Amino acid sequence: PTSTGSAKLQKVSDNLRGLAEKYSGQTSSHGVLTDFAQAIDAKGVGVSKYAKIELPHGKEAHIRLSNHNANAATYAERGNNADNVSIVIKSRRTPNTFQSHPEVELTEYVYTTEAIRKDGNMLPQVAE
């Protein structure tokens, strides 16, 4: 990556380590999506926020934070076909509405507030 990309990646890494410490032992997901969005400099209108992180060897990772499942066709429309991650924190367990796309590599992690309440170490694991 460029030196600017390396600096941003290091800043994001440091920010996420800070969040892992902040949320250690926490069982409430209140404010988590906002904190994560700020930590990775994610932007967007509405509840879904997106960040592009420059990785070594000229690669980019696209990260989505939201409270609902992703539609991979949205990534295809933007030309983001590889290295995509979606992190979803839902207030309750609802049916999985994730929609795949044949040309998009997208991994989605879904957490519910119920699961977070039961496991005080879940949020630090998300940050790491």
Side-chain angles (χ1 to χ4, degrees), residues 90-94 111-114:
K90 294 182 175 186
S91 60
R92 63 186 184 282
R93 190 177 305 271
T94 57
Y111 304 90
T112 63
T113 54
E114 175 187 341

Side-chain angles (χ1 to χ4, degrees), residues 59-101:
K59 288 191 166 197
E60 295 176 338
H62 300 94
I63 302 172
R64 172 187 180 265
L65 303 167
S66 192
N67 65 357
H68 62 277
N69 294 105
N71 179 348
T74 304
Y75 288 83
E77 291 167 7
R78 295 179 180 165
N80 302 336
N81 293 4
D83 299 314
N84 298 298
V85 175
S86 175
I87 299 172
V88 177
I89 299 180
K90 294 182 175 186
S91 60
R92 63 186 184 282
R93 190 177 305 271
T94 57
N96 182 358
T97 59
F98 174 82
Q99 296 177 6
S100 64
H101 187 281

